[in-house]
Amino acid sequence: MVGRRWGLLVAGSMMAVLGPGAPAVAQTKKIGTFGGWEISIVHDKGKFARCVADTTGPNNEGLRMSFGDDGRRHFILPGPGTSGATDEAVIVFRPSGKRFTFRMAQRSPDRLWSPVLENSFTDMFFESKRMEVQLPARNVKRSFDLGDPETMSARIDGCMTSHQ
């Protein structure tokens, strides 16, 4: 558990360095698909920037977890809107029913970004099978099958530690 949490902290930090509006010079390399997640590594100007995990499978696309080299973690949802706009998101994990509420920022035309995720959120994420996302202002309610977050976590951990 400590190794995973450390890896997630390290991975999440990379996102802060690049920020969501990374310049076009960023290069993404797919590592593979593990536990229902497509894992990729991102380099910016030749330097390691972050590891990214995207959900896969029918009707499950669009959820992304980003782990930056500065320890910050984010999740990103698809969602068109006006750049700079914010929406409150309600995240409910299953089967626990644990609920988190926070503001999501529209930092690009087609994606909503979470604030930096706290350890309690990440821990619950890795213990869950499904996640329900509600954006009341947009009248959106969507569920994501989280596949095998333990396997995804191990691959992200490996992605992060391989570049230190």
Side-chain angles (χ1 to χ4, degrees):
M1 185 70 153
V2 172
R4 176 178 20 163
R5 186 169 287 147
W6 179 82
L8 292 175
L9 287 172
V10 171
S13 65
M14 293 186 318
M15 183 59 206
V17 170
L18 282 182
V25 296
Q27 295 179 332
T28 302
K29 178 183 176 187
K30 181 179 172 182
I31 296 172
T33 302
F34 310 96
W37 294 84
E38 182 177 285
I39 310 295
S40 301
I41 185 168
V42 179
H43 286 86
D44 184 30
K45 299 178 186 171
K47 184 178 176 186
F48 174 69
R50 65 186 174 274
C51 293
V52 175
D54 292 293
T55 54
T56 62
N59 301 318
N60 209 38
E61 297 88 4
L63 174 64
R64 170 178 283 181
M65 296 289 290
S66 178
F67 304 89
D69 69 353
D70 63 358
R72 293 184 180 177
R73 304 164 313 273
H74 297 270
F75 76 85
I76 301 104
L77 298 169
T82 305
S83 188
T86 60
D87 283 310
E88 185 171 84
V90 178
I91 310 298
V92 181
F93 289 106
R94 303 287 180 213
S96 70
K98 180 70 177 165
R99 176 187 292 279
F100 292 85
T101 303
F102 46 80
R103 306 291 279 162
M104 298 283 290
Q106 186 85 46
R107 292 191 176 168
S108 69
D110 60 348
R111 293 203 181 266
L112 289 165
W113 295 75
S114 73
V116 175
L117 300 175
E118 297 178 13
N119 285 342
S120 60
F121 180 94
T122 307
D123 290 346
M124 187 56 61
F125 175 85
F126 286 117
E127 295 171 6
S128 300
K129 297 295 180 192
R130 294 191 62 73
M131 181 172 84
E132 182 178 284
V133 177
Q134 301 168 16
L135 300 168
R138 295 182 188 213
N139 199 26
V140 170
K141 186 175 183 180
R142 186 164 174 205
S143 292
F144 293 93
D145 177 4
L146 299 180
D148 183 358
E150 284 281 335
T151 300
M152 183 267 277
S153 170
R155 293 299 179 159
I156 287 290
D157 213 19
C159 175
M160 294 303 296
T161 57
S162 68
H163 294 282
Q164 295 176 358

